[in-house]
Amino acid sequence: MGGKKESSSPSLWLASNPSKRWGELFFLFYTPFWLTLCLGIVVPFKLYESFTEWEYLLIGLVSAVPSFLLPMLFVGEADRSLCLKDRYWLKASVWTILFSYVGNYFWTHYFFTVLGASYTFPSWKMNNVPHTTFLLTHVCFLFYHVGSNMTLRRLRHAIADMPKQVQLLLEATWILAFAYFIAYLETVAISNFPYYEFVDRAVMYKVGCLFYAIYFIVSFPMFLRIDEKPGDAWDLPRAAIDALGAAMLVTIILDLWRIFLGPIVPIPETKQCIQPGLPWFPGHDNMT
């Protein structure tokens, strides 16, 4: 009777898979910790003005590392009967690590060459991208994708009785709108941090956020699929391959924008970041 009651009144927001439900709620409730640290303490009080490479790296580590340690130390009831590799939070973390790594290592250079962005704070870098951003992007993307999962799930419940074509149209419209909203929200949220600069911030808000939203237009529906269907449990290799597939699709779309639409602002040579870049960026051959 208890099992029947649970299946007849599923949550409109949460996953039916217990491990996935616990993992999503953990990522959701973990978010205020790192968000308060970065945007509630460091930025408003301008602590970054005295930061060196060490402090920036420490902020990234303090924000990201507990998202791995806490679920291992405090195992949720739904995960106690599962091997570590079968727990949703680990699959979601692996997916996000790979997707966000590609985003930082490769796609940040599109922000340099297409959007006119630059990092000017002291930091150790990989491919001219601060290590701190690799760490912070991980927890940011976990939060964004859990939010997308919950809203998409709620939308699917609401439109379940509509024709299939209408469902697809409404879901695609929501993904586009939510992706743009997230991109815009992040851009505004970090606008008080003076060492992440744009040639023209107003154009970035209007057009650049659409460029950034391409990440999520691809990733939101793909990330949702992890352990979403009953009886279709993913393993870690599947999560890793899926993340890399999503990353490749985003890379193709971003590069098509670069080739056919070009930069959204004129980028003076004095305001361009001098970086090795990627092999297909103009000027790379002249620097090698």
Side-chain angles (χ1 to χ4, degrees):
M1 289 295 290
K4 185 175 180 180
K5 181 178 180 181
E6 182 180 358
S7 63
S8 63
S9 58
S11 169
L12 301 181
W13 299 89
L14 303 177
S16 59
N17 181 310
S19 179
K20 183 169 186 175
R21 187 187 312 127
W22 187 90
E24 288 182 342
L25 289 174
F26 167 74
F27 293 136
L28 191 65
F29 289 121
Y30 176 71
T31 297
F33 164 71
W34 64 264
L35 201 59
T36 301
L37 174 64
C38 296
L39 298 183
I41 298 176
V42 172
V43 172
F45 292 99
K46 297 184 179 182
L47 301 183
Y48 52 77
E49 295 292 0
S50 61
F51 279 9
T52 65
E53 291 87 346
W54 282 109
E55 283 79 13
Y56 277 109
L57 181 61
L58 183 61
I59 284 292
L61 290 171
V62 169
S63 297
V65 171
S67 70
F68 297 97
L69 292 182
L70 292 177
M72 287 193 287
L73 296 176
F74 304 98
V75 180
E77 184 176 352
D79 286 341
R80 289 172 188 165
S81 61
L82 300 177
C83 296
L84 179 63
K85 65 181 179 62
D86 295 324
R87 296 171 185 174
Y88 171 79
W89 73 264
L90 183 59
K91 302 173 195 177
S93 295
V94 168
W95 198 103
T96 308
I97 287 170
L98 292 172
F99 188 77
S100 62
Y101 176 84
V102 173
N104 279 282
Y105 190 90
F106 292 103
W107 305 338
T108 301
H109 290 276
Y110 290 99
F111 272 64
F112 296 156
T113 60
V114 176
L115 306 184
S118 60
Y119 293 111
T120 57
F121 59 88
S123 62
W124 291 301
K125 298 179 180 180
M126 181 187 300
N127 198 27
N128 205 45
V129 180
H131 291 164
T132 301
T133 65
F134 285 85
L135 296 165
L136 291 178
T137 300
H138 175 69
V139 287
C140 282
F141 278 18
L142 282 172
F143 173 51
Y144 300 162
H145 286 81
V146 167
S148 173
N149 281 3
M150 297 177 71
T151 57
L152 277 172
R153 199 174 289 125
R154 180 64 182 87
L155 176 65
R156 288 180 175 180
H157 281 292
I159 63 177
D161 295 330
M162 295 183 181
K164 190 66 175 179
Q165 293 82 354
V166 176
Q167 291 184 41
L168 290 174
L169 177 61
L170 290 174
E171 189 169 322
T173 301
W174 173 251
I175 290 169
L176 176 60
F178 192 66
Y180 186 85
F181 169 75
I182 289 294
Y184 186 87
L185 185 67
E186 179 183 316
T187 306
V188 172
I190 61 176
S191 61
N192 289 326
F193 179 64
Y195 302 118
Y196 180 42
E197 302 174 356
F198 293 97
V199 172
D200 189 330
R201 191 170 292 273
V203 174
M204 177 61 196
Y205 288 149
K206 296 175 184 176
V207 183
C209 288
L210 179 60
F211 184 90
Y212 184 22
I214 291 171
Y215 293 23
F216 308 124
I217 291 170
V218 173
S219 67
F220 283 165
M222 294 189 72
F223 183 81
L224 174 63
R225 295 160 47 246
I226 304 173
D227 287 353
E228 185 68 12
K229 292 182 178 180
D232 183 25
W234 288 36
D235 56 19
L236 288 177
R238 183 179 176 185
I241 292 169
D242 193 80
L244 293 173
M248 187 69 248
L249 180 54
V250 173
T251 305
I252 291 171
I253 299 173
L254 296 184
D255 210 48
L256 288 174
W257 180 307
R258 179 186 67 85
I259 292 170
F260 292 106
L261 298 179
I264 65 172
V265 292
I267 304 177
E269 190 171 331
T270 56
K271 290 196 174 184
Q272 289 185 11
C273 280
I274 304 302
Q275 75 278 333
L278 301 176
W280 54 81
F281 280 156
H284 178 74
D285 293 338
N286 297 331
M287 293 186 287
T288 57

